[in-house]
Amino acid sequence: MNPKLLVLASVALIALAGCEPQKPTEPAADAPKAEAAAAPAAAPEPAPPVAPALDPKAFAGTFSGTLPCADCPGINTTLELKADGTYAVATSYQDRKNSETKGDGTWTAEEAGQRIRLDPNSKTVEDSLYQVVSADEIRALDKEGKAIDSQANLSLKRQAAAL
């Protein structure tokens, strides 16, 4: 065999041995993590809108209705929320003579304007809480500020302003 041909065949054989067919490249196990790290983070979901604080001057007004009574047909209630943050309340028990009572104190909005607290000037009377249902309705809550489970009407409705 010709020595030149033998060298040429050896070089070709070595060259072919070094040239293995390339397999399709598979992403490395860390590739998705790297892509996720490189990708911009998704924007956080926006927080639910917060109800604006209740403006006492705008919400002030007179609310009235008949609240439930354990041993009478109902308690006629008129609550005047004043723009200066004070209130006056008058109640009278239906079917009872001389049962009208009056009280006063201060009122504040709580829970981003979703609840109203009446803080009486009398230290023997406990605070009262009302849910703000709408600009024209408030509903009595229990002493812990939770809804009262009752079929009875617990709402006081805004009265038209006197002319």
Side-chain angles (χ1 to χ4, degrees):
M1 197 165 185
N2 183 346
K4 285 184 182 180
L5 189 57
L6 188 57
V7 171
L8 186 58
S10 297
V11 169
L13 187 58
I14 292 171
L16 286 174
C19 292
E20 292 182 23
Q22 292 188 351
K23 297 178 186 174
T25 57
E26 294 179 20
D30 294 339
K33 294 177 186 171
E35 286 177 17
E45 290 189 31
V50 174
L54 188 81
D55 177 10
K57 290 181 182 178
F59 195 75
T62 301
F63 294 81
S64 66
T66 302
L67 296 178
C69 176
D71 60 354
C72 71
I75 304 169
N76 296 330
T77 305
T78 301
L79 172 63
E80 182 185 3
L81 300 175
K82 300 176 185 179
D84 66 358
T86 62
Y87 76 88
V89 63
T91 61
S92 65
Y93 289 77
Q94 295 176 350
D95 289 351
R96 292 189 189 164
K97 294 181 181 181
N98 302 321
S99 66
E100 185 170 347
T101 61
K102 294 186 179 198
D104 58 5
T106 58
W107 70 278
T108 54
E110 300 177 343
E111 302 290 323
Q114 300 301 305
R115 185 169 75 188
I116 292 173
R117 177 179 298 273
L118 303 181
D119 182 13
N121 287 332
S122 169
K123 297 306 170 202
T124 60
V125 179
E126 292 185 24
D127 289 6
S128 299
L129 296 167
Y130 288 86
Q131 172 191 4
V132 177
V133 177
S134 70
D136 295 321
E137 181 182 358
I138 58 175
R139 183 174 298 135
L141 298 171
D142 70 12
K143 293 175 184 178
E144 295 175 358
K146 296 179 182 170
I148 299 169
D149 186 20
S150 172
Q151 297 298 320
N153 179 17
L154 300 167
S155 292
L156 301 178
K157 307 250 178 155
R158 184 182 295 275
Q159 301 302 297
L163 299 177

